Amino acid sequence: MFSLSEENYLKSIYHLEAIHGKGISTNSIAKKLETKASSVTDMIKKLAEKEVLVYKKYQGVSLTTLGRKEATTIVRKHRLWEVFLVDKLNFSWDEVHDVAEQLEHIKSPKLIDELDVFLGFPKMDPHGDPIPDKEGNFQKIEKRLLSTLEEHKTGICVGVNDSSSDFLKYLDKNNISLGQKIKVLSKESFDGSLTILIHSKEITISKKISNNIYIQ
Amino acid sequence: MFSLSEENYLKSIYHLEAIHGKGISTNSIAKKLETKASSVTDMIKKLAEKEVLVYKKYQGVSLTTLGRKEATTIVRKHRLWEVFLVDKLNFSWDEVHDVAEQLEHIKSPKLIDELDVFLGFPKMDPHGDPIPDKEGNFQKIEKRLLSTLEEHKTGICVGVNDSSSDFLKYLDKNNISLGQKIKVLSKESFDGSLTILIHSKEITISKKISNNIYIQ
DNA sequence: ATAATTTTTTAGATAAGACTAAATATTTTT
DNA sequence: AAAAATATTTAGTCTTATCTAAAAAATTAT
């Protein structure tokens, strides 16, 4: 059984491994969890004893199979709760994160599997992220950043890279949502900003924005 | 904002006040929470500083209006989640308590009010206990213990006094559920056991059982 | 009303998890 | 390859919530 804190470490390391591969540094974990590197060292030692990750002084950490399984379960719970909040309780996609962050720590295998049934085994959460099934498997969808799309080409928004309320509200304001067609009209080479066509309206978005939108 | 531990103290004191009135003893709180009296003293001081209860050394404690409001909210959350688990996720009434005990601590006013809407503003939880509304009001239902019913009289089961899985499973096994008609055929004066008619079947139940069933 | 018992509080200790500051490794720069 | 900069770990402290053991107050019994 893992504490709330341990679960949050596992989840963060899992997400960091998805981006950077094995060998996650103490500092990057500290940044992600908004804590201090010294706290991370302490916790890492504890988690290594529980055999959910491998740790060698001054080298990064890597999840074991056991650790990855545990982390996947937490991610599954988080994303299923997000679907519940949006589909059943009228939450918008920018309101779900903080609540799901709490709900993901509820311990009850029956709860989460019945929730999955109740929701109709959804494959995606409201931000386009895949939901692992009971066994921890999920489909990896093809996607690329909007910022990599060439001029005059069109893509369909399939996900976001940042689930903060601020960013999602910005997207809402500009009518950018999942399934939305986006055409790149022009690219400014100086700052990487894009002028795009969305809902037959032209808008210009910064590189930072286009770096957080996934298309297909 | 209250910690998980503080919330559990508030809830226990609230339930104890409902039975014994104001002035709850350190020891009774300790028993209810399965902790030590010394721990209770510590926590009581803390809660008194937060003005959710009144505490005077060597005298019991009483909730303030603020404290009662906070406790009512926790009870509301607990009971709404129980309804959700039974109505939507196929839990039986003996499986909900432990999970609801976790869910009641999730912090999000929107979550609980939307859940209330989603469930259709239920007035009762699966054990027949009333659910406080958004303002903290709930209807107090008339009820008495089955053990107080006279011989040859009939009542309808409207609640239970113990929500432990063991007790509820016993009731299931004997076809005793909410709304069920129960007729007392005879009362054994020696040990208080009752022979009752339920579902046109005669069964004998101990005093301890009849002391945990509410009828109307 | 005094003794015995029970209840409650105090004092001091412990564990989890976080922090600061200092020490030690490692990496990067020059 | 030494110096500078960065990253990581260690050592010691703090907070929250708990515990045990002992002291103090209140209650009950004689």
Side-chain angles (χ1 to χ4, degrees):
Chain A
M1 197 67 93
F2 297 92
S3 72
L4 188 144
S5 215
E6 290 170 336
E7 290 192 346
N8 282 332
Y9 273 89
L10 284 173
K11 193 180 48 152
S12 291
I13 295 167
Y14 175 84
H15 286 313
L16 288 168
E17 277 194 350
I19 305 169
H20 304 112
K22 297 193 164 248
I24 300 302
S25 72
T26 305
N27 253 6
S28 62
I29 299 169
K31 191 166 293 170
K32 181 124 197 165
L33 282 166
E34 297 182 68
T35 184
K36 302 290 153 158
S38 55
S39 306
V40 175
T41 304
D42 287 349
M43 183 57 93
I44 274 172
K45 285 179 185 167
K46 215 177 124 191
L47 290 174
E49 290 218 345
K50 292 197 172 189
E51 304 193 331
V52 286
L53 52 77
V54 179
Y55 160 66
K56 266 192 162 172
K57 270 190 189 176
Y58 291 99
Q59 293 167 229
V61 302
S62 298
L63 293 178
T64 62
T65 305
L66 179 63
R68 190 158 318 101
K69 191 172 163 47
E70 193 61 35
T72 306
T73 301
I74 302 165
V75 168
R76 168 172 158 80
K77 293 200 275 183
H78 183 100
R79 293 179 181 167
L80 279 173
W81 280 117
E82 287 196 340
V83 172
F84 172 71
L85 295 173
V86 167
D87 285 9
K88 308 293 181 182
L89 300 196
N90 302 309
F91 276 63
S92 51
W93 71 342
D94 62 289
E95 295 176 312
V96 296
H97 189 77
D98 294 350
V99 186
E101 203 87 328
Q102 297 178 62
L103 287 163
E104 72 189 6
H105 300 291
I106 303 292
K107 280 160 180 71
S108 165
K110 172 159 180 149
L111 172 63
I112 205 64
D113 291 332
E114 288 288 347
L115 185 64
D116 199 10
V117 172
F118 181 62
L119 298 172
F121 304 104
K123 297 278 163 292
M124 298 277 179
D125 79 7
H127 311 111
D129 294 312
I131 300 176
D133 67 18
K134 215 171 162 169
E135 276 69 45
N137 305 310
F138 56 89
Q139 61 204 66
K140 213 190 141 191
I141 42 164
E142 276 316 304
K143 60 185 184 183
R144 51 195 283 210
L145 290 174
L146 174 56
S147 55
T148 69
L149 192 61
E150 299 82 10
E151 269 183 354
H152 311 304
K153 296 243 173 169
T154 300
I156 293 189
C157 175
V158 294
V160 294
N161 193 28
D162 176 330
S163 291
S164 71
S165 182
D166 274 0
F167 177 60
L168 298 172
K169 274 183 182 146
Y170 170 89
L171 296 184
D172 281 343
K173 213 167 50 194
N174 290 286
N175 281 301
I176 303 173
S177 57
L178 297 193
Q180 191 57 56
K181 218 198 289 190
I182 300 175
K183 180 172 183 180
V184 176
L185 298 175
S186 64
K187 218 166 188 167
E188 181 54 65
S189 61
F190 178 64
D191 65 355
S193 65
L194 297 182
T195 299
I196 62 176
L197 188 70
I198 184 147
H199 258 304
S200 49
K201 250 185 69 184
E202 259 183 52
I203 60 168
T204 300
I205 62 175
S206 71
K207 173 97 177 179
K208 185 167 179 189
I209 297 291
S210 64
N211 259 337
N212 279 293
I213 296 173
Y214 287 115
I215 54 151
Q216 207 169 47
Chain B
M1 197 67 92
F2 297 93
S3 72
L4 188 144
S5 216
E6 290 170 335
E7 289 193 347
N8 283 331
Y9 272 89
L10 284 173
K11 191 179 49 155
S12 291
I13 296 165
Y14 175 84
H15 286 312
L16 289 167
E17 277 194 350
I19 305 170
H20 305 111
K22 295 189 166 256
I24 301 301
S25 72
T26 304
N27 254 5
S28 62
I29 299 169
K31 192 166 291 170
K32 181 123 196 165
L33 283 166
E34 299 181 71
T35 185
K36 303 290 153 158
S38 55
S39 306
V40 175
T41 304
D42 287 348
M43 183 58 94
I44 275 172
K45 286 180 185 166
K46 213 176 126 191
L47 291 174
E49 290 218 344
K50 291 196 173 189
E51 305 192 328
V52 286
L53 51 79
V54 178
Y55 159 67
K56 264 191 162 174
K57 268 192 190 176
Y58 291 99
Q59 291 166 229
V61 302
S62 298
L63 292 179
T64 62
T65 305
L66 179 63
R68 192 155 21 257
K69 190 170 164 48
E70 191 62 34
T72 307
T73 301
I74 302 165
V75 169
R76 167 171 158 81
K77 293 200 274 183
H78 182 102
R79 293 179 181 166
L80 280 173
W81 280 117
E82 288 196 340
V83 173
F84 172 70
L85 295 173
V86 168
D87 285 8
K88 307 293 182 184
L89 300 197
N90 302 308
F91 277 62
S92 51
W93 70 343
D94 62 287
E95 295 175 314
V96 296
H97 188 78
D98 294 349
V99 185
E101 203 86 330
Q102 297 178 63
L103 287 163
E104 71 190 7
H105 300 292
I106 302 292
K107 281 161 180 72
S108 165
K110 171 158 180 151
L111 172 64
I112 205 64
D113 292 333
E114 289 288 347
L115 185 64
D116 200 10
V117 172
F118 180 62
L119 298 172
F121 303 104
K123 296 278 164 293
M124 299 279 181
D125 77 7
H127 311 110
D129 294 313
I131 300 176
D133 67 17
K134 215 170 160 168
E135 276 69 44
N137 305 310
F138 56 91
Q139 59 204 64
K140 211 190 141 189
I141 43 165
E142 277 315 306
K143 59 184 185 184
R144 50 194 284 213
L145 289 173
L146 174 56
S147 55
T148 69
L149 192 60
E150 300 82 9
E151 268 182 356
H152 311 304
K153 296 244 173 167
T154 300
I156 293 189
C157 175
V158 295
V160 294
N161 193 27
D162 176 330
S163 291
S164 70
S165 181
D166 275 359
F167 177 61
L168 297 172
K169 274 185 182 144
Y170 169 89
L171 296 183
D172 281 343
K173 213 165 52 196
N174 290 286
N175 281 301
I176 303 173
S177 57
L178 297 193
Q180 193 56 55
K181 217 198 289 188
I182 299 175
K183 179 172 185 181
V184 175
L185 299 174
S186 67
K187 219 167 186 166
E188 182 53 65
S189 59
F190 178 65
D191 65 354
S193 64
L194 296 182
T195 299
I196 61 175
L197 188 70
I198 183 149
H199 259 302
S200 49
K201 252 185 68 184
E202 260 183 47
I203 60 167
T204 300
I205 61 173
S206 71
K207 173 96 175 177
K208 185 166 179 189
I209 297 291
S210 65
N211 260 335
N212 280 295
I213 297 174
Y214 287 117
I215 55 150
Q216 205 169 49

